[in-house]
Structure formats: structure tokens, C-alpha cells
Amino acid sequence: MVLRAEQPALLAPQLGQLAALGVRHVEIAWGPGPAWIPECRSLIEAFPDLRLGAASICTPAALAAALEAGFSYGVSPVLEPELLETAAMARFALVPGVMTPTEVNRARSLGCPIVKLFPAASVGIGHWRRLRDPLGPPLPFCIAAGGLGPGDVRPWLEAGVDAVALGSSLVAQGPELLRQVLTDLPQRP
């Protein structure tokens, strides 16, 4: 789940709702405003049962802000080796975005155990499975993200991705839809 707000503190009600529904991982999109770091730090403290990460980490400044805010991980829509190196030196898990076979292979050669297939809706449901034979095993753990809705979760999982990230539009549709999506998912260890 990825949430966006110019003032992250305004996300507290949505985070509470997600925690109550049993969601475990939520990303808060990075923003350049001066309040982003302290407001995110407060949210991390207020929701200890959620594993909060920083989304949209594309620059050194965004990575530095995520580290200063105290996030436990970050996700990027791009594959940027310098960001991965900086994150590794800080012992911070940064999940890069990939789309092409070259990017997937590059992420794998850089030691990335997890990648974000982005934007997933643009490449289609069978894209990840089509990469398996040409690239050979093992492929990284794959989170499909970007342009996917509640009805896409189960089909994408069945098509071979390991996880699906949904956006804040799901939260805006109310807790019942999210509860239904979570109920319909197969249980994983």
C-alpha cells in the first residue's frame, strides 16, 4: 500500500484503518517539504505495528530524508546503482524499480533480493512470467506496482509475482473493499 500526502501527518487516520485491517507494510511517498521528516518520524512512532517504508526514493536527497525519518525500508520506481550503494552502506533496504529484462538482470547482478515491477499495468500481467526462462532462475522477489487495482491482486499473484502494491485510492474507497481484498487473498507464511 502506497500513501501520498503533502503533509504526511494527515495520513494518520488511513494508517490506523490499515493497521486495524491487518495490513503489515505501508509506504509513504517522499515529499520535499520541510515537515516530511518530522511528520513521518511521528507516524513511525505512532504506528509501531506497521512496517512503514518510504516510497518514490529517486534521489540522494530523498534517500537521506528517508534515513533521517527512521523508515525501515524504501522503494524506488527506478534502478539507480548509486542509491542502492548508499542504502547498503546505511544498512537500509532499498527496493529498486524495474521494467525491462536488462533492469531485472542488472538488479539481480547488484544483489537485489526484491524488486518492484513498475509500472506493472503498462507491461501486463504475464510480463514477469515471460522473463523467467530467458533470464533464468533465480529471479528476485517481485512486487507488482503501478496502475493496479483491487481486482488485479489475485490474478497478478496467480501469474507469478510475489506481491502486489496498491495505491491510496483503495483506502479512499473505504475499509470494506480493502477488507474484501485481504479476505480473498491466499494465506502465505
Side-chain angles (χ1 to χ4, degrees):
M1 178 71 55
V2 181
L3 301 178
R4 297 183 182 281
E6 285 187 35
Q7 296 176 312
L10 298 176
L11 298 172
Q14 292 175 328
L15 290 171
Q17 185 180 64
L18 293 169
L21 290 170
V23 172
R24 291 181 276 176
H25 296 267
V26 180
E27 299 162 26
I28 297 174
W30 177 76
W36 191 83
I37 292 170
E39 289 184 16
C40 288
R41 191 178 295 132
S42 294
L43 290 173
I44 292 166
E45 292 171 9
F47 296 95
D49 292 337
L50 287 176
R51 185 143 189 243
L52 295 177
S56 303
I57 304 299
C58 299
T59 65
L63 179 56
L67 290 168
E68 188 176 337
F71 283 102
S72 59
Y73 68 98
V75 181
S76 177
V78 297
L79 174 63
E80 186 61 55
E82 292 81 13
L83 287 176
L84 291 168
E85 183 179 331
T86 301
M89 288 189 303
R91 297 185 184 273
F92 181 76
L94 181 63
V95 177
V98 297
M99 181 193 245
T100 67
T102 300
E103 291 171 333
V104 174
N105 195 55
R106 180 75 173 136
R108 185 170 58 178
S109 71
L110 291 169
C112 300
I114 305 171
V115 295
K116 170 182 169 178
L117 179 62
F118 181 83
S122 296
V123 294
I125 195 167
H127 183 72
W128 191 251
R129 188 175 304 255
R130 285 187 205 104
L131 296 177
R132 284 191 180 148
D133 286 339
L135 291 178
L139 291 180
F141 183 96
C142 177
I143 303 166
L148 302 179
D152 296 314
V153 174
R154 183 179 282 277
W156 276 78
L157 292 172
E158 290 171 352
V161 300
D162 300 291
V164 176
L166 299 175
S168 56
S169 62
L170 178 60
V171 176
Q173 296 178 39
E176 282 309 311
L177 180 58
L178 181 55
R179 184 176 286 113
Q180 188 60 48
V181 169
L182 294 171
T183 301
D184 289 345
L185 290 177
Q187 294 300 312
R188 292 186 176 196

